[in-house]
Amino acid sequence: MTADQQTVERLAEVAELGAHELLARLRDLSVTEGAFCAFDGDGTLWSGDVSDDVFEAACQRNWLLPEAHTALVQMAESFGLATDGSASKLAFRLFSAHRAAIIPELPSYEMMTWCYAGRSPDELRQLAAEVLAPEHFAARRHPSFGPILDELRRSELALWLVTASPGPIVEVAAAQWGFAPTQIVSSQAAVVAGKLSAELARPCPYREAKPRLLREQAGTGPCLACFGDSAFDFELLREAQLPVAVSPKPELIRLLPKLPNAVVLKTR
């Protein structure tokens, strides 16, 4: 049996639910004080990766500043890459090396957070607003989440978005699903004198850091449901009474049998 056949068989073993069926499952769960639900962003609430979108636009516009250059050179040297060029060219070289599996995910995601050094958070939000304009981005939002988010908000459950994307960028995308910045756990560059710096303010929410950083914000109440699309969300999904895979990637499909009560949300 091929790996693809095994993936299809494992997916067939997991219940696939529409939005209203999923809400019925959630209603059956016991809601106690401090209960909450958590969502991944990229690939889950919307298709694609908003951090990639904004980063590529920034590099194409030569928008990155010299304040990031030294840190980008150091990173390029550490992975044996050429160090010539502007900050934007260096950053894109590192990004391309990540896509070629030369640079692991975590340092790449971290770079895509601190590479905006010298810009203010508001400048980055403005760039994200241009790239992720509602008239274009709306088609990428998974419509199944409309009724789910509406009902969860009516029930007054706390809702959280947990993502490795940079805060100012994901705030723009998440606002289109009604999330406030105070409901988002994201990757954050340190801010010095009103400008982003080439250092992180806290660990990037990645793999096992996702549930840990979420708990720091959400507290110790029960996690009723978590939604994610990739193996990077496995530790987050494991927190939930109801783990929900959304358009799951093959790596997550292979892990689903390790998640009791896991279901797949229909997104079409």
Side-chain angles (χ1 to χ4, degrees), residues 106 109-110 161-164 185-187 200 202-217 231-239:
L106 181 56
Y109 297 161
E110 290 174 340
L161 173 58
V162 190
T163 174
V185 179
S186 59
S187 189
L200 295 182
R202 65 183 181 204
C204 180
Y206 175 76
R207 290 194 180 272
E208 65 277 358
K210 276 195 166 188
R212 177 168 58 81
L213 294 171
L214 171 63
R215 284 291 180 184
E216 289 178 6
Q217 299 295 316
F232 303 149
D233 300 314
F234 177 75
E235 289 84 0
L236 179 67
L237 293 168
R238 194 165 53 185
E239 285 284 301

Side-chain angles (χ1 to χ4, degrees), residues 56-251:
E56 292 190 65
C59 291
Q60 289 167 4
R61 300 180 191 189
N62 201 29
W63 197 77
L64 303 185
L65 297 176
E67 283 85 341
H69 193 268
T70 298
L72 290 166
V73 166
Q74 291 172 346
M75 184 173 176
E77 286 177 339
S78 71
F79 287 100
L81 302 177
T83 59
D84 61 298
S86 66
S88 294
K89 288 184 178 178
L90 266 171
F92 194 77
R93 185 176 300 139
L94 290 163
F95 178 71
S96 300
H98 161 62
R99 285 193 161 173
I102 296 169
I103 298 179
E105 285 90 357
L106 181 56
S108 180
Y109 297 161
E110 290 174 340
M111 180 274 292
M112 293 170 69
T113 298
W114 54 252
C115 70
Y116 301 104
R119 296 288 187 180
S120 71
D122 280 344
E123 284 180 294
L124 183 51
R125 288 187 191 96
Q126 180 57 44
L127 177 63
E130 294 173 16
V131 176
L132 306 173
E135 60 266 27
H136 306 301
F137 190 66
R140 291 171 53 183
R141 289 164 29 195
H142 288 149
S144 298
F145 280 105
I148 292 170
L149 290 169
D150 286 346
E151 179 158 331
L152 293 178
R153 287 179 175 129
R154 284 195 296 269
S155 70
E156 299 185 351
L157 276 171
L159 304 183
W160 293 91
L161 173 58
V162 190
T163 174
S165 291
I169 294 173
V170 77
E171 286 170 16
V172 172
Q176 298 184 43
W177 268 131
F179 285 85
T182 53
Q183 296 174 284
I184 300 171
V185 179
S186 59
S187 189
Q188 296 281 350
V191 177
V192 179
K195 302 291 185 180
L196 298 167
S197 75
E199 295 183 0
L200 295 182
R202 65 183 181 204
C204 180
Y206 175 76
R207 290 194 180 272
E208 65 277 358
K210 276 195 166 188
R212 177 168 58 81
L213 294 171
L214 171 63
R215 284 291 180 184
E216 289 178 6
Q217 299 295 316
T220 58
C223 180
L224 298 185
C226 282
F227 299 74
D229 71 299
S230 77
F232 303 149
D233 300 314
F234 177 75
E235 289 84 0
L236 179 67
L237 293 168
R238 194 165 53 185
E239 285 284 301
Q241 295 178 32
L242 183 62
V244 184
V246 182
S247 301
K249 296 178 174 62
E251 295 83 357

